[in-house]
Amino acid sequence: MAATVLDGATTPSVATDPIIEVENLTMRFRSKRSETVALDDVSLTVRAGEFVTIAGPSGCGKSTLLKLVAGLTPGFEGKVHLYGAPVTRPQRDIGFAFQRSALLEWRGVRKNILLQAEMRGMDRRLAQRRADHLIELTGLTGFEKALPHELSGGMQQRVALCRALLHEPRVLLMDEPFGALDALTREQMNVEMNRIWRETGTTVVLVTHSVPEAVYLGSRIVVMSPRPGRIVETLEPGLPDERDYGTTLRDPRFTRAAERIRGLLGATHTPE
Amino acid sequence: MAATVLDGATTPSVATDPIIEVENLTMRFRSKRSETVALDDVSLTVRAGEFVTIAGPSGCGKSTLLKLVAGLTPGFEGKVHLYGAPVTRPQRDIGFAFQRSALLEWRGVRKNILLQAEMRGMDRRLAQRRADHLIELTGLTGFEKALPHELSGGMQQRVALCRALLHEPRVLLMDEPFGALDALTREQMNVEMNRIWRETGTTVVLVTHSVPEAVYLGSRIVVMSPRPGRIVETLEPGLPDERDYGTTLRDPRFTRAAERIRGLLGATHTPE
Amino acid sequence: SAGGTPDSAAEGNAAVTVTLNWVPYGEHAPLYYGVEQGFFEEEGIDLTIQPGNGSGNTVQQVAQRNTDFGWSDTPPLANGISSGMPVRSVGVFLQTGPSSVEFFADQGITEPADLVGKTVGGTPGDAMYGTFPAWLELNGVDPADVKVVNVDAAGKIAALIEGKVDAIQGFHHDQAPTIENQSGEEVDALPFADFGMNLLGTGLVANESMIQEDPELVEAMVRATSRSFLEAADNQDAAVKAMAAGAEQAPEESVLSAQLAATIELLNLEEAPVPGTNTEEQWTDTLTFLSENTDFDGEVAPTEYWDATFGEDL
Amino acid sequence: MTTTEDLRADSSDGPPTATARATAKDTAVPGRGRTSAWGQAVRLADASWRPLVVLGLLFAGWWFVAWRELVPAYLIPSPGAVLETMVSERAMLLEHTWVTTVETVLGFVIAAVVGVATAVLLVYSKTAEKSLYPLILFAQVIPKIAIAPILVVWFGFGLTPKIILAVLIAFFPVVVSAVAGLRSVDPELLEMSATMGASRWRTFVKIRFPGALPQLMSGLKVAVTLAVVGAVVGEFVGADRGLGFVLLLASGNLDAPLLFADLILMSLIGVVLFVLVELAEHLLIPWHASRRGSVVLAAS
Amino acid sequence: MTTTEDLRADSSDGPPTATARATAKDTAVPGRGRTSAWGQAVRLADASWRPLVVLGLLFAGWWFVAWRELVPAYLIPSPGAVLETMVSERAMLLEHTWVTTVETVLGFVIAAVVGVATAVLLVYSKTAEKSLYPLILFAQVIPKIAIAPILVVWFGFGLTPKIILAVLIAFFPVVVSAVAGLRSVDPELLEMSATMGASRWRTFVKIRFPGALPQLMSGLKVAVTLAVVGAVVGEFVGADRGLGFVLLLASGNLDAPLLFADLILMSLIGVVLFVLVELAEHLLIPWHASRRGSVVLAAS
Ligand SMILES: Nc1ncnc2c1ncn2[C@@H]1O[C@H](COP(=O)(O)OP(=O)(O)OP(=O)(O)O)[C@@H](O)[C@H]1O
Ligand SMILES: Nc1ncnc2c1ncn2[C@@H]1O[C@H](COP(=O)(O)OP(=O)(O)OP(=O)(O)O)[C@@H](O)[C@H]1O
Ligand SMILES: [Mg+2]
Ligand SMILES: [Mg+2]
C-alpha cells in the first residue's frame, strides 16, 4: 500500500503539510435489515497542493470517503483530520462537487452558482464576475436563467461544478464531476482542472471512473477494491504538473500507469 | 449524412422493417425567457434488430430525441413513427433507461425492478426469476431490499438498467445507462448488452458519452452536432455482431471508427 | 333519553318527545315530576324530554317534525310562524314573561332609569335583545344612554360576575339562582313585566299537521303538562327531587328549587286560572307589542299563532 | 403532439382526439404564441367559464327549489329575497363584512407568521419539538367554541378575542404543513449547504424555506379559510359588529334571507382570501413540479 | 462523529459537546446496539419525558392559579375539583366520550376516503378541477357552526348530522394536501411509468399515491383534530348524547369542573387520534426523507 512510484524521473509531491489525514477509517452503514461495510480500514494522507484521484468499482465507498472528509457523514471509526483538526462536523473550508448535482430547482443556473457566494457572504461583485467567467468556461452561456429541469444532465453537472469552484477553495472534493459529460467537454474540463490546480495550488481529491482522467489529472492515484472498500494501491506516475493533453496521453508513464490501474480494477482490456 | 460504411467487408444491417422512423424532426423548448432549439431537422431510421448508438456533445438533444421516440415529450415538428404508427402518446412496447435513474425511493432494489412487471401485469413468477437473474448479473446481490438512498450512484443506475431489461422489450431506449459505472463494471455490462442484443434480436438505441462504448456496442453510430442538435454523420464500422471485448478493441475497424468519431466530436486526442 | 323512566315504556303508549328551550333548568322540573308521577303515562304518553339549544332552534325542530313538541318562548315562536313555519302554540304556561335585566344587588338598581350609563350584556337574536330598547323607552329612558354589549348565552353570566358588564339581559327565574350559587352574592332583577311590558313566556308548541292528525294526543299532552305544573307547584321539593333524579346533569338541587319557585310565580294564574290556558287578549298584546317595537312583521292575529282549543277544557 | 396534460394524467390509452389534435398542430397554425390582451382575455375566459357555469347551476338549483317550494322558505329563502336583502341592507352588510375581513386577515397573518416560526423551532430543536408539540396539539384539539367565552371574559369585547380565535384556529395547519415541508427537504441539499459553511439562518432562508414553500402553501390555504371561521366564532360570542354578530341576529329572528345573505358574504371573504393565497402561491413557486405542466413546453 | 441531528439542523458551529461526544464514541462503548426490551424502554422514556414534564408544568400552573384563586373558580376550577368530577361521573363521561369518539372516527374516515377520491378527480381531470374546486372551496368557507342548525333540522338528532359536520370540516385539509401531494410527484417518475404502459390506475396505486403520502399525512393530521370539532359542534346544536352535549349542559349550569372535565376528554380524543395518525405515518412512509435522520446511520 505504499505509494508505487512508477517512474523516479521527477519527484512529484514535495513533503508539504498534510491537509487531509485519514487513518484506519472504517465506516459501517447499519439498518434494521443489514450492515454494509462501506470502508474498511482505510488510511490516506493528502498533502497541500496534491491532486489525488480515486478510482474504484461502483459501490466501493468512494463517495462515502469524500463525505466523511467533508464531515457530512457521522458515525465512523478511526481518524479523519482536515487542516490538522479532527472532523466532527460539516467542513466549510472546502469546495464539494456532489455526484448528483444537488441543484436548487427554483434557482436559475447563475443563481445556483452564486448560492456559494451568498452562503459564504462573499463579495457580490467579485462572485458575479467569477460566476460569469465559469459559465463561459463550461459552455453554459445563454442558459444563465434556465432552471435545472430545463437543462440536460451534463449541463446540470457543469452548473454544480461551477458552484464548487466559485469561491476558489483551498481543498476541492469532487465526486465524479465529469461523469455526464461528452468526450470533448470532458477533455476541456480536464485541461481546465489541471490549469486551475497548477495556478491556484488547490488541494484536490477527485473520484472518477475514467482511468485516463484519473491518470491525466492525478499527481497521485488511489485505487480501491470492491466493497468493503480498501485501498489496493497508490500510484504516482511522476508526470510533470503541467500536462498538455495530447502529449501526456502518449507519454509512456501515462500509458503504464493507466495499464496498471486497469489491471488493478480488473478491466483486462486496453482502452476503457 | 448517408451512412458512411467504413469497411465493406461485412454487410452489417440487413434491410429489415423500420422500427423507428424519424423524419425532419425539430424540437423547440419555449419558455417566457427564451427558446431553445434542441433538435434541428433530424432524420433517422432504425430497423428491426439494429443497435444504434448516439454520441454527441452535452446538451445537443440526445435525451430529447429518445424521449420523443418514446412519446414522452409532446409538441415537436416533423414525423416520429414507432412500429409504423405515429407517436402521439407514451409508448408502452419499449424499455426505457432514463439518464437519471428515476427510482421509487420507497421501494427496495428488487421491488423497484419488479415495478416493470407489476405495471405490465407480467407473470409474477417469471418476472421474479428474471429480476433475480438481472440482480446477480449487475452485481447487486445482497442489496435486494436496500432503498435507493442507501445505494451508491452506480448501484442506482444498475437498478434502473435491470428494470428497463426486465420485460425483454422489442425496443430498448437507453440514455447513458452506464455513465456512473466504473471501467470494469461498464465493460461487463457492455459485453452483456452485446450478448442480449444478439440473442434476443432487440432493437436498441443507446446514448453514450464513451466513444469506445459507442463503437463496441453499435451496429451503427450516430454522431450529433452541438446545439441545435443535428446528425453530423452516421457510421457503420462493419464489425461482426458477436464481439469479443479484447479482440474487438484491437480490430482496425474499431480503431478507425473510434478515431473518426473523436474527430467529429472535436476531441482531438486519441484515448478518451 | 333524558326523561323517560324505563318502566313507562308500557305497550300501547305513544312515544312522544318534547324538546326543551334550553338545557334542563328548574322551569322544567314539573315535566320531570309529571313523568315520575305517571301523569303522562296516564294520558297514554311515553314522554322523552330532550334538551334544546334556544327557543328558535326548538321551534324549527318542531317545524321539521324532528320532535313532537317543543317548549319554547313566545317571541321566537311568533317570528317563526311569521316566516312560514307550520307550527302553533298549544298553550303558553309562563304567562308572565321571564325577560328581565339582572344585576348584583349591590348595584342599587331599582328601576329602569337607574340603568342610564350602565353597560348591559345581551345576546343578539334572542327575545330580550330586540325588545330591550322599546322597554327602556316605555320607561322613559333613552336607549342611547344604556350601552348594550353583545355576549353569547354561555358567556353572559361569566361576564357579569367578572364585572365586564354591570347587568345582563336574561330570564331571571333561570339565571339569578345560578349566579347567586356561583358568586355567593345576591342578584336582583328588573323583570320587563313589572315595568310595563308583559310578553307571554314559554309554553308548548306543536306542528300544524300534528294538531290536525292527532288532536287527541295534543290535548292529552297539554292536559298532562298542565297537571304536572299544578301538582309541582304544590309539591316543589318532590318535583326538584324528581328532576334531580330524572335529568342528566341538572343544576344543584338548591338552584333547582329556587328556579322552580320563581317559575311558579310566573305562571300568573290570576289572569287564566289553569296553566296552559291563555286569553286572546294576552296574545293580542304580545303580538302588538312585538310588531310595534321589534323586527317582527307578522299579522296581529292570535289564531295564526295559537290554537286555543287544547287549553279550553282544562 | 400529445399534450402535457395527457401525460400528467397518465393517459396510456388517451382519447382518439389526441391524434387529431396532433395533426392539427402539425399543419402549422398561424397566430399561435399571441400574448396579446385579447389572448389573455380568451385565456381568462377559458379558465373561468367552468366555475361560473357551476355557480350558475347552483344558483338555478337554488332558485328552482325555492320556486317549487320544495323546502320551506324559512329554511331556504328564494334567491330573490336574499338578493333583495343584500341590496336593501348593503350599507349595513358592507360595514360588518369589513369588520370580519379585518379580523380574519389580521388573524391569518399572525397565524402564518407565528405558525412558521413555531415550525422552525420544532424542526431545528429536538427539545422544542418534544416539549412544544404536545402543547400545540392540545391547543388545536380543544374546540374553540368552548373556549371562546373564556377569551371574551379575559380580553373583553374588542378586536382582540376575535383575532386570538382566528389565530388559534388557523395556526395548526400552518405548523403541520410547515414542519412537513421543512422536514422533507432533500438531505443532499442540506449537505451541500453545510459544505458552504452556511449559517443556520442562511440555510433556512435559501434552502429549507423555499423548499418547504409548496407544502406550506397547502397549509396556508387551509388556514385562511379557517381564519374566517375563527373570526366569526369570536363575533358569535361577544361582539356588536361583524358578520358573526349579524348571523346571530338573523338566526335569532329566524330571518332566513338575512341569514343567507350573511352566509354568502362570509363565504365570499373566504373565497377571496383563498384565491389571494393561491395567487401568492403561483408567484412564489412557479418552479414547483406541480406547476410545471402549465408553464413549460409548447410547440409552434 | 457529529450526529445526524446536528447536520439536519445545519449546525455550522455546533455546540462544543459535539467533539466530546465524538471522542466518547471513538473509545468503543460496549453494550451498543442493544435492542433489548430494556433498551426500548429507555428509548421510550427518553422520548416521552419532555412532553410529560410539559404536561406536569401545565398542571402545576393550573393548580397554582386555582389554589391562589387568581382566577375565579367558576372560570377555572381547581384540578382537584375537575378530577373529582371525572371520577364521580366517570360512567356518564365515558359513555358520552364513546359517542363522540365514534362520530369523530366515522366522520374522519369518510372525510379521508371522500377527500382522497375528490383529490384524485381534481388532479386527473382538468374539467373536474375547474368545476369542482369552487364548490369544495365554497363548502369549506361556510362556517360550520352556521349551517349546523340547518343540518340538524334536516337530518334530525341522530348520528347523521354530527358525522356530516365532522366530514364537512375535515374534508378540506384532506383534499388540499392530497392534491398538493399528487401534483408534486416527480414528472420523471410519471414518464417512467408511461413507458411501462401502466394504466392510470396502476400509476396511481404504485407511484402517485405513495409519492403523495407524505403530504397527505399532514392533511390527515389536521383533519383528524378538526373531525373532533365537527362532531362536537354537531352535538352542540342538537343532541342528547356526546361530549358536545355535556359541554352545553355544563356551561348552561356554569358547572366549571364538569366543563373542564369535558374539555379534557375532547382534547384527549383529538390527541389520541392524532397520535394514531402519526403512528400510521411512521408505518406507511418510513422511507420519507423527513424520517431518514432517525432511522439510518449509527457507528459502533
Ligand atoms: N446512507 C446509506 N445508507 C446505507 N448504505 C449506504 C449509504 N450510503 C452508501 N451506502 C452503501 O455504502 C457503499 C458505498 O457507497 P458509495 O456511495 O460510497 O459508493 P461509491 O464508491 O461512491 O460508488 P459509485 O461509484 O457507484 O458512486 C454502498 O454499498 C452503499 O450501498
Ligand atoms: N424541459 C425542458 N425545457 C426547456 N429546455 C429543455 C428541456 N429539456 C431539455 N431542454 C434543452 O434542450 C437541450 C437538449 O437537452 P437534452 O437533455 O436532450 O441534451 P442531451 O443531449 O441529453 O445532453 P446530456 O448529454 O448533457 O444529457 C438542452 O439545451 C436543454 O437545455
Ligand atoms: Mg459515488
Ligand atoms: Mg441527456
Side-chain angles (χ1 to χ4, degrees), chain C residues 16 28 35 49 64 67 83-84 93 113 120 141 173 189 234 247 256 261 266 296 299-300:
Chain C
V16 167
H28 309 122
V35 170
I49 303 169
Q64 288 301 112
T67 184
S83 62
F93 284 73
V120 178
V141 178
H173 72 305
D234 294 339
L256 276 180
L266 297 172
F296 173 71
E299 264 184 84
V300 182

Side-chain angles (χ1 to χ4, degrees), chain C:
Chain C
S1 45
T5 42
D7 56 342
S8 70
E11 65 283 0
N13 281 359
V16 167
T17 47
V18 60
T19 299
L20 303 178
N21 57 327
W22 196 240
V23 296
Y25 58 93
E27 179 184 320
H28 309 122
L31 293 173
Y32 290 92
Y33 187 56
V35 170
E36 191 208 43
Q37 294 292 312
F39 302 153
F40 289 95
E41 211 180 328
E42 280 172 33
E43 298 282 356
I45 291 170
D46 175 16
L47 187 68
T48 302
I49 303 169
Q50 206 158 38
N53 189 20
S55 288
N57 203 291
T58 302
V59 173
Q60 269 196 343
Q61 300 292 357
V62 176
Q64 288 301 112
R65 302 212 63 174
N66 285 331
T67 184
D68 300 311
F69 292 95
W71 186 259
S72 154
D73 196 16
T74 301
L77 173 70
N79 271 323
I81 293 171
S82 81
S83 62
M85 294 185 195
V87 295
R88 291 291 156 95
S89 168
V90 293
V92 170
F93 284 73
L94 268 61
Q95 305 192 60
T96 301
S99 300
S100 52
V101 177
E102 301 159 292
F103 37 81
F104 285 113
D106 58 16
Q107 289 271 359
I109 298 172
T110 54
E111 53 169 6
D114 296 337
L115 289 171
V116 171
K118 303 279 188 201
T119 305
V120 178
T123 301
D126 75 9
M128 294 152 281
Y129 192 84
T131 49
F132 184 66
W135 176 72
L136 286 177
E137 254 174 315
L138 208 67
N139 289 284
V141 178
D142 182 354
D145 291 341
V146 181
K147 184 168 196 281
V148 176
V149 293
N150 305 276
V151 201
D152 89 321
K156 219 153 34 176
I157 297 177
L160 180 68
I161 304 181
E162 277 299 275
K164 296 277 169 189
V165 294
D166 302 314
I168 58 174
Q169 302 165 4
F171 287 180
H172 65 83
H173 72 305
D174 166 17
Q175 288 169 341
T178 309
I179 302 170
E180 283 177 347
N181 182 49
Q182 280 296 337
S183 63
E185 287 176 60
E186 198 187 331
V187 174
D188 268 353
L190 299 180
F192 291 3
D194 291 358
F195 291 88
M197 183 185 109
N198 186 22
L199 300 177
L200 286 168
T202 48
L204 273 180
V205 180
N207 195 291
E208 276 179 3
S209 52
M210 158 87 111
I211 293 171
Q212 244 140 53
E213 288 159 18
D214 201 351
E216 292 81 19
L217 177 64
V218 179
E219 194 166 349
M221 180 71 189
V222 175
R223 208 159 40 228
T225 309
S226 181
R227 181 170 168 207
S228 300
F229 267 84
L230 277 179
E231 299 273 344
D234 294 339
N235 303 288
Q236 295 194 15
D237 287 344
V240 166
K241 291 241 153 32
M243 180 162 183
E248 201 176 319
Q249 293 305 311
E252 288 171 32
E253 285 188 25
S254 61
V255 175
L256 276 180
S257 58
Q259 289 173 331
L260 179 59
T263 303
I264 301 303
E265 304 269 300
L266 297 172
L267 289 176
N268 185 12
L269 298 180
E270 287 85 54
E271 259 178 75
V274 188
T277 316
N278 315 125
T279 65
E280 185 146 344
E281 196 191 346
Q282 287 174 319
W283 276 95
T284 313
D285 286 352
T286 298
L287 293 172
T288 309
F289 187 87
L290 287 177
S291 107
E292 280 171 5
N293 296 300
T294 71
D295 286 342
F296 173 71
D297 55 2
E299 264 184 84
V300 182
T303 50
E304 292 288 307
Y305 303 87
W306 167 58
D307 196 325
T309 47
F310 304 106
E312 274 170 0
D313 308 332
L314 291 174

Side-chain angles (χ1 to χ4, degrees), chain A residues 27-32 71-78 80 86-90, chain E residues 1-4 7 11-15 18-19 22 26 295-300:
Chain A
M27 179 70 205
R28 294 187 175 88
F29 288 104
R30 287 227 181 90
S31 73
K32 267 165 284 169
L72 296 177
T73 312
F76 55 85
E77 295 158 63
V80 178
V87 170
T88 54
R89 64 177 67 123
Chain E
M1 291 199 125
T2 163
T3 63
T4 323
L7 182 58
S11 80
S12 58
D13 35 24
T19 328
D26 284 343
V295 186
V296 212
L297 307 191
S300 74

Side-chain angles (χ1 to χ4, degrees), chain B residues 28-30 32 71-72 74-77 87-90, chain D residues 1-4 7 12 14-15 19 295 297-300:
Chain B
R28 293 187 177 88
F29 288 104
R30 286 227 184 90
K32 267 165 284 169
L72 296 176
F76 54 85
E77 295 158 63
V87 171
T88 54
R89 65 177 68 123
Chain D
M1 290 198 124
T2 163
T3 63
T4 323
L7 182 60
S12 58
T19 327
V295 187
L297 305 193
S300 74

Side-chain angles (χ1 to χ4, degrees), chain D residues 51 54, chain E residues 118 121-122 126-138:
Chain D
V54 171
Chain E
T118 309
L121 230 130
L122 295 182
K126 213 64 192 167
T127 313
E129 182 189 355
K130 287 196 178 144
S131 20
L132 273 183
Y133 218 53
L135 274 186
I136 293 169
L137 183 56
F138 198 71

